[in-house]
Amino acid sequence: MEDKLLSGVGRYVFQAEPFHCDCSYRLFLAHLGNQLLNAADFHSNERGYGVRVLSNLHKTWVLSRFTLEIYHLPEVYESFTIETWVNSVMRYFTSRNFSVSDARGKVCAYARSVWALIDTDTRQPVDILKVNDGQIMKYVEKDKCCPIEAGGRLKFSTQGKQQQSVVMHYSDVDMNGHVNSMKYVEHMLNLWPISWYSEHRVKRIEIAYVAESHEGDELKFYVEQETESISDVRIMKVGGEQEIEVVRGRISFA
Amino acid sequence: MEDKLLSGVGRYVFQAEPFHCDCSYRLFLAHLGNQLLNAADFHSNERGYGVRVLSNLHKTWVLSRFTLEIYHLPEVYESFTIETWVNSVMRYFTSRNFSVSDARGKVCAYARSVWALIDTDTRQPVDILKVNDGQIMKYVEKDKCCPIEAGGRLKFSTQGKQQQSVVMHYSDVDMNGHVNSMKYVEHMLNLWPISWYSEHRVKRIEIAYVAESHEGDELKFYVEQETESISDVRIMKVGGEQEIEVVRGRISFA
């Protein structure tokens, strides 16, 4: 199951297939996001601490924070390479970085993510170092460069204005049984019209995952404009009499 | 640009990546559908009659009918191969078939599709045989087997009951500037809850694309149950005072 010769960095090649591209002939950002998650999944399973191993131990990884900085999105038909590595492991969190390069080797994007390990029965955090003999520590890559700022606490100054409400359905939910992390991003980006994207591109997106949501949940999207090019989006789910915060996101356009 | 040695059948390998799988640990049907469209795009471009060539001539392919019969969807992590070929060309329509096989070579699914060639300025049909010196005729594969029934006219006996209404946004629209063919399928399959999919699977889906829809269009989904296991879905867009039919679909569950 484990291979001591494996490098800490995993490399996975994908392609910007035409029907995963938007009107600007570039890969949908949320699709790139899902390929980052797929790369993380492949990387961790190959190194013996992925969900395929952990599910037998009733544990799973949960994405807690995600920051993506984009220089250019892969163009239609272009292949691109995702590199991913774990750059630090704490007791309850690991930090995993990504870089995305185009076919000429030019960097398209960098991303940072923070993951918690939870017990699938209790949904409580688990000490990462005690699971599977601390297997994850064998592959930490401290020195590889990821020159983007980590996501902060995302403090919003106001509640924002409700702009949309979307009910979660079958196709929003992935294998984990809750709404897919990148589906939130997809619904968030839907708050802007195509005409906006023909003149602006997402330069940076920061997401804090606060609570899970499920099929049937109604999600309300509250938007606050920080500056002309930075918008904060708060996703709340309607639960009984009060609304519960699910996701907080900050999008910077260029 | 053309290669006389190319076979009429194109073969493309994909993978059922974990974050493109549903709660049953199998590839989302709509994602498989988009990979079929991607394979069709690769195949036609490699043979000199794809949209990359045609866009210079102000022409494009439009999907008119799509029928997919599924024996089993690819399982998470499994690679699968899509074969596609054009099996007949008429003046205004071509018929393209697909087969999908899993890593062990077992057939997962077959599909049939009908495409029209249109002029992108007038949106009117174009005589396929007159475009690009009838290049497409060089690669017709009449004899390769696709043992599923072609989609019929999809006559519905009633108007059906409205079950949902969805407004089309940025992420529903692909490079063609209108709602992606498989996004209709995704929204259609959202009419059933996850609990339904844990006991039923889609055995066959037939779609007739009647009109295009765009960002901002409100689509209403009318459902009529033909039998216990067959449902008809009519998608109408709200246009002025009357509703316009956009898509007709029939889904058979097993």
Side-chain angles (χ1 to χ4, degrees), chain B residues 117-128:
Chain B
L117 189 67
I118 64 158
D119 184 298
T120 47
D121 300 323
T122 64
R123 308 305 283 180
Q124 291 301 305
V126 172
D127 185 340
I128 292 167

Side-chain angles (χ1 to χ4, degrees), chain A residues 14-15 17-23 25-29 31 34-35 37-38 41-42 45 51-52 76-77 115 164 169-177 180 183 186 189-190 192-195 197 215, chain B residues 14-15 17-23 25-29 31 34-35 37-38 41-42 45 51-52 76-77 115 164 169-177 180 183 186 189-190 192-195 197 215:
Chain A
F14 297 93
Q15 191 183 4
E17 296 125 343
F19 290 93
H20 296 128
C21 290
D22 75 1
C23 279
Y25 293 72
R26 290 185 181 269
L27 196 65
F28 275 113
L29 190 156
H31 191 80
N34 252 346
Q35 298 297 46
L37 298 186
N38 284 325
D41 182 284
F42 297 152
N45 280 316
V51 287
R52 294 172 87 164
V76 59
Y77 300 116
W115 301 73
Q164 216 167 104
H169 292 293
Y170 163 70
S171 70
D172 294 300
V173 175
D174 65 24
M175 291 197 323
N176 297 310
N180 170 259
K183 274 285 175 180
E186 188 179 315
L189 297 178
N190 277 346
W192 286 268
I194 291 174
S195 58
Y197 290 106
E215 183 195 19
Chain B
F14 298 93
Q15 192 184 4
E17 296 125 345
F19 290 93
H20 295 129
C21 290
D22 74 1
C23 280
Y25 293 71
R26 291 185 181 268
L27 196 64
F28 274 114
L29 190 157
H31 191 81
N34 251 345
Q35 298 297 44
L37 298 186
N38 285 325
D41 183 284
F42 297 152
N45 280 315
V51 289
R52 294 172 86 163
V76 59
Y77 299 114
W115 301 73
Q164 217 167 104
H169 292 293
Y170 163 70
S171 72
D172 293 301
V173 175
D174 65 25
M175 292 197 320
N176 297 309
N180 170 259
K183 273 286 175 180
E186 189 178 313
L189 297 179
N190 277 346
W192 285 267
I194 292 175
S195 58
Y197 291 106
E215 183 195 18

